[in-house]
Amino acid sequence: MNHIQRHLHSHLPDEHLPGDSVVRQIARVVESAPRSLAVSSVEEELDYGQLHSRAIALAEDLKSAGVVPGDLVALCVPRSTDCVVGALGILSVGAGYVALDPRQPDARLRFAVQDSSARALVAFPDVAARLDWVDPIEPPRTWCAPVDCEAVSAEAAVSAETFSTRPTDAAYVVYTSGSTGEPKGVVAEHGGLLNLIDWHKRSFELTSNDRCTLIASPGFDAAVWELWPALTAGASLHVVPSGLENDPVRLRDWLVSERVSVCFVPTPSQNR
């Protein structure tokens, strides 16, 4: 039985242009500032043109695998530039992403992929191998790894989205901890996500000059607060290196060195 429930962020009433979406807001940033820094990690940096090119290349790969608007696609990639590319690529094909953290137990990840009826999985090969199974009833799912290519130019990327996103379409799914039973998938819709983005940007006066962090687990709803407000504002997103989220002193020093201006601090770090 499917455990997915609908959830709407209700910080603000819907006041958006018809058909507006996260993808189209980021595309406008690509048009105006393609060489501005979008995502930075210890491994690499991507400007907005590169980020969007990779995302659209992944979207084309997903289309070829049979993913269509309205589908759900599992995203099980560590906190990284690839995770950002994966989320944007899934949204760019009109699908919603099921946010998963590959550090979680295989059984929990497998449950979420099956329970959500994900059409495909975006993951590195080793993670995909952990989650593969034989289902005698459902047809085999398609495993799609994040792509690393510049096959799509920034100019082509800005016009790649041809579908019309509705406010009630699923943007992403997160699963509860399951501490009181089986985990439950909670769907956030595009209208609610845009409301959350607007609220965040207004409340924190976010601009393209800001340097923001991505510190939350990919499977935690707080990652949404960090990811989409920053990118739709044209700000830069700085991926916190693994391990620093549990070391307040090293985290503080890293924030200073990266000149971060907006940061979400996890509760465990606040209590140290």
Side-chain angles (χ1 to χ4, degrees):
M1 181 176 178
N2 193 287
H3 293 80
I4 290 182
Q5 301 174 348
R6 290 271 167 173
H7 172 67
L8 285 172
H9 294 292
S10 56
H11 299 284
L12 291 172
D14 289 317
E15 298 174 350
H16 306 288
L17 297 173
D20 197 14
S21 69
V22 168
V23 172
R24 289 181 178 175
Q25 288 191 18
I26 295 175
R28 291 195 284 269
V29 177
V30 176
E31 285 185 299
S32 61
R35 300 307 169 207
S36 294
L37 178 62
V39 190
S40 174
S41 72
V42 294
E43 291 84 14
E44 65 176 343
E45 291 187 347
L46 299 178
D47 62 33
Y48 273 90
Q50 293 168 327
L51 169 63
H52 217 203
S53 292
R54 291 192 189 183
I56 297 305
L58 175 59
E60 291 300 317
D61 194 27
L62 291 170
K63 282 183 184 178
S64 298
V67 176
V68 298
D71 282 342
L72 291 176
V73 175
L75 174 63
C76 193
V77 180
R79 189 175 63 231
S80 61
T81 55
D82 284 315
C83 183
V84 179
V85 169
L88 183 57
I90 293 168
L91 292 181
S92 295
V93 79
Y97 65 93
V98 183
L100 302 172
D101 188 334
R103 296 175 297 180
Q104 294 174 332
D106 292 358
R108 174 185 166 87
L109 297 176
R110 188 177 295 111
F111 170 83
V113 173
Q114 291 178 311
D115 182 68
S116 64
S117 300
R119 175 71 173 175
L121 169 70
V122 174
F124 293 123
D126 60 326
V127 176
R130 286 167 48 198
L131 303 185
D132 201 1
W133 73 93
V134 177
D135 190 327
I137 300 176
E138 294 292 330
R141 291 182 173 85
T142 302
W143 308 115
C144 299
V147 293
D148 182 8
C149 68
E150 305 297 335
V152 181
S153 68
E155 291 75 14
V158 298
S159 60
E161 187 191 55
T162 57
F163 58 89
S164 180
T165 301
R166 298 171 299 180
T168 55
D169 288 341
Y172 66 93
V173 178
V174 292
Y175 272 80
T176 61
S177 64
S179 57
T180 59
E182 288 187 320
K184 293 181 175 59
V186 181
V187 179
E189 300 173 346
H190 276 280
L193 177 57
L194 290 176
N195 288 343
L196 176 65
I197 290 171
D198 284 350
W199 173 85
H200 187 105
K201 289 195 288 190
R202 295 181 191 182
S203 296
F204 296 96
E205 300 180 347
L206 204 60
T207 73
S208 59
N209 295 321
D210 278 305
R211 297 168 69 87
C212 308
T213 57
L214 181 59
I215 189 173
S217 160
F220 184 33
D221 197 33
V224 174
W225 291 59
E226 300 179 288
L227 180 58
W228 302 122
L231 295 180
T232 56
S236 58
L237 194 64
H238 298 256
V239 181
V240 176
S242 179
L244 261 62
E245 67 271 27
N246 297 317
D247 189 329
V249 174
R250 292 175 60 210
L251 175 59
R252 176 203 61 194
D253 293 343
W254 181 86
L255 293 173
V256 172
S257 68
E258 291 292 310
R259 293 176 286 121
V260 167
S261 57
V262 179
C263 177
F264 163 81
V265 180
T267 301
S269 296
Q270 298 177 28
N271 294 334
R272 290 176 181 266

